[in-house]
Amino acid sequence: MREGGPSRKRTSERPNSSSERPNSSSDRQRSNRPRPQFATKPRVDEEKLPSVLKLPDPTGTTEVLKPSRRPRVNNPLSEEFELSPKAVSTQQLPSEFSSPPLMESLLSSIMDILGPNARPTPIQALSLKHLFSPSQGDSQWRQFLLASETGSGKSIAYLLPMLQDLKQTELDGTVPRLTSKRLMAPRALVLAPTHELSRQLSVFAKSLLHNTKLRVLCASRANAPTQSRRHVTASKMASDIDSDIVPEEGGEFIVSSPSNAAKPVDVLVCTPSRVLEMEKGRGWDYEHKEHPEDIDENGRNIRPNRKFTVGPPEITLANVDWVVVDEADVLFDPDFQESTRLLLADIATAKGKPVAFTPELNLSSTTTEPAPSIEVPKYPFNLILTTATIPSSLASYLDTYHPSLMRLASPNLHKLPSTLQTEYESWTGGRRNKDVENRIRRVWWEDAIAAGRQATSESVISDTSFEKSKVLIFCNKSTKVEELGKYLTERGIPNIALTSTSDSRHKGNNHHLDGFLRECAGGQESSSDASAGAEKTEQPHVLITTSLLSRGLDFSPSIKHVFIMDAPRNMVDFLHRAGRSGRAGEQGKVVVFGKSKGRGAGKDREVKSRVKALIS
Ligand SMILES: Nc1ncnc2c1ncn2[C@@H]1O[C@H](COP(=O)(O)OP(=O)(O)OP(=O)(O)O)[C@@H](O)[C@H]1O
């Protein structure tokens, strides 16, 4: 962090110190306990209902999972990453957003979004304490890891210090001049693994800036396939980029012309590959990519002389002072890490302080010492990594390449949110789609009973006289997503079945998730705007997807149920999928489907005990 960063004396904005007060223990307890914002619906006690109201269609056995007294397995993630000796203390933390000197404009936005009585969550309290204090060492730049369970408010924890520092630099008049009028020169990058998350984060950042004038742009390319010159002309390529431009009201913006580039940009939110493309020119890596369409059935390249067009650069990274790597365990995993590290190295080069870059890294290594030939990179910018899970590969990478990184971790890291109830549902036999359908009917039947309606398992789908809760279903494979979606549609249950290649993802906005994502107070892309004129009851209440949507997205509190249909590949995946419900202290339920007897039951029992180990 720049010396005298967020905690510097202000020129025009004054710290709000009126409500600063010593941390009482009750304050601390309050701040550590996220408070539910919605009343809990009473559970239906089926035994006490008159028989006419009972759910006629039997579902499999349901078991509410509780943490075992003497667990058969320990929390696998805690074992992988031993936080205690490395993380900073969680004692003596601020209990109010006003405790450190937060700009009044940012403070009032926080109150607008979270309500006047909002208290920082533990990870936000850690951020308030450590990210607002000036740098102590030789370097003006600092590195942080913010690690806490899903839905615990990490976005605010990194946005507040970053936005405050950007604004303060502007007020101090020390923002570097643009090196080129043609290129956009962001001062901060927020990197996310998916377009959907980038869009939601940029809308959220904008809502925090209602009273603070800074420009946030989401540069998100719809997932259109990359093209070569043989298939597309340069002008067509340019018009494709233009067609992605959504007016600012839509929360997105893609630079493709000098007039757009001339606008100042403070924060750019997008995927690492999109930034690289904007920095190096569209198509910079076509030549290095595999092009299966060029290979015939005998494995011969049928277009060996194909030339690729590289577009002009759209941004310069020379002004970047802040980089946030959201979902750091994904962006540093084997699939993404090369792009992420290349981008960090490119920023250092653009700022005139190049660092060593090794394309291939063995991140699965358990050694904590850097290999003799590898230099630890000294990045000339503030770097914040955020994550809800720290798999061993990330832990080893951090130990080796970021030894001075300050680790801020909430006490509940690697646990399910305490407001999330976990149930295990046994398959009744071979009809899995039918079992899922019955469980959906049950969810809605319980909603009907709680609303005082008489409903049966049959009538509950078409009955629109009560509010149905939404259900998010995770499968491991795209084919399964499509198959279940088709089955439920045939059974009269409207649903959205979304995979990475779904057409609806091509549109460059988040409207394909309307009604499922949380609407951001004051945000610019809201589902109600998008669906204006549509009847509420016409929107599907079921979303089926893969891990694609399990990362970072802030789903609506109306998603009270997450179904995990296939055994999770690992517990990291499970925590992220389950964590789309039970967010920010709200009640939710995760239903894990599995076999309780017969072939394969042993594996599912193992999953069950691993899930139990994550319950707080
Ligand atoms: N202090 C707070 N009090 C109440 N609600 C909060 C607070 N901080 C954040 N929230 C709300 O909690 C929700 C989840 O926040 P956020 O998406 O930042 O969580 P996260 O920790 O990044 O989750 P994930 O790991 O799933 O990405 C948001 O809707 C946010 O507005």
Side-chain angles (χ1 to χ4, degrees), residues 37 97 113-114 118-121 124 148-156 204 327 388 518 552-554 579-580 583-584:
Q37 296 167 334
F97 281 105
I113 295 171
L114 302 179
R119 304 273 168 198
T121 62
Q124 291 164 356
S148 67
E149 64 280 13
T150 53
S152 57
K154 290 185 285 296
S155 316
I156 287 178
F204 186 66
E327 307 296 327
R518 191 193 299 261
L553 284 172
D554 194 24
R580 294 316 103 199
R583 301 175 69 75

